Amino acid sequence: MADAPYTDNERYNLMPRHIEELDDDVEFLVHLGDLSWAKVDKCREGAYDEASTIMKKSRIPTFILPGDNDINDCNSMTHGEEMWTKYFASFDKQYDHSLNVTRWGKLNESFSFIHKEVLYLGLNIIGGRPASNSEKSFRHSQHLERIRTIMNDHLDDFKVVVLLGHAEPTAFHSDFFGGDSGFISIMEEMGKPTIHF
């Protein structure tokens, strides 16, 4: 799930219905970010609150990652970060679940866990143009360092890697995905099948 709710129809009809109709055998849910449309909602607190209220209706343990409309596309990135943290940070903690989730310290909006021999990496890799290239580069380097540590420490504990994040591999994220020490190279080196949502 991602890029919703953008409109009143999504906010008041489609998303609540989608959340309500989730199958009972779903073990967890991840929203990949953009819980409002910054261009229209102007990063007003009410939009974060409304999206949070919808997501709290999920019976399923739910994780939420930031998207560019949640933080970067706001007139004030600081305001976007404050609102995202207030309404969505560590969202899964309100559920009683058995997933052994690891938060990533200063990057605590990112997380990882192994479930049924699959390593899930939920990362703050935001789509669109970064608000700060230095912040983005630092965050990406920290993510790569953490991924390599996790994979080295748990290589025999999983067979597949699932990367969850808002961004697709574009030029804005070549420092994360590309190069000799990038995500793709790490996956090739480790020899684990990988899918990116």
Side-chain angles (χ1 to χ4, degrees):
M1 175 183 291
D3 301 322
Y6 275 3
T7 66
D8 284 346
N9 185 42
E10 290 176 353
R11 190 171 285 125
Y12 302 120
N13 299 306
L14 298 180
M15 271 197 67
R17 188 170 68 237
H18 180 69
I19 293 290
E20 183 180 329
E21 294 174 353
L22 286 169
D23 290 336
D24 289 334
D25 63 349
V26 174
E27 296 186 64
F28 61 90
L29 171 68
V30 180
H31 193 296
L32 302 178
D34 278 7
L35 290 113
S36 66
W37 191 15
K39 186 175 182 180
V40 172
D41 291 312
K42 307 294 186 194
C43 298
R44 62 181 175 81
E45 184 166 1
Y48 294 85
D49 186 27
E50 290 166 351
S52 176
T53 299
I54 294 167
M55 298 306 296
K56 284 178 181 174
K57 293 178 181 175
S58 171
R59 306 175 313 279
I60 313 301
T62 300
F63 298 83
I64 300 178
L65 292 166
D68 53 298
N69 277 279
D70 302 318
I71 298 175
N72 285 14
D73 293 345
C74 296
N75 287 335
S76 165
M77 186 173 167
T78 301
H79 171 76
E81 287 174 335
E82 289 171 357
M83 292 296 98
W84 190 90
T85 300
K86 178 176 179 178
Y87 289 99
F88 306 119
S90 301
F91 200 82
D92 66 291
K93 288 186 177 180
Q94 65 190 303
Y95 299 91
D96 182 21
H97 63 77
S98 60
L99 299 168
N100 187 16
V101 179
T102 300
R103 299 284 169 191
W104 292 22
K106 289 183 179 178
L107 300 171
N108 69 354
E109 69 278 9
S110 298
F111 60 87
S112 58
F113 59 86
I114 297 172
H115 183 61
K116 295 184 176 178
E117 298 186 312
V118 177
L119 170 61
Y120 292 91
L121 301 169
L123 305 186
N124 177 5
I125 44 175
I126 292 178
R129 183 178 303 277
S132 165
N133 284 319
S134 60
E135 184 278 331
K136 176 207 68 150
S137 296
F138 175 76
R139 181 169 24 90
H140 286 178
S141 68
Q142 293 296 299
H143 278 136
L144 290 168
E145 183 179 317
R146 186 66 186 245
I147 289 167
R148 185 171 287 284
T149 299
I150 290 169
M151 295 194 74
N152 285 331
D153 290 349
H154 299 282
L155 196 59
D156 296 330
D157 298 336
F158 61 93
K159 295 180 178 175
V160 176
V161 177
V162 174
L163 174 63
L164 302 160
H166 188 72
E168 56 188 86
T170 66
F172 291 131
H173 306 288
S174 58
D175 61 319
F176 176 79
F177 289 102
D180 293 339
S181 59
F183 182 76
I184 293 170
S185 293
I186 294 171
M187 294 304 108
E188 289 173 347
E189 178 186 332
M190 299 295 179
K192 300 287 186 176
T194 304
I195 187 165
H196 174 205
F197 290 105

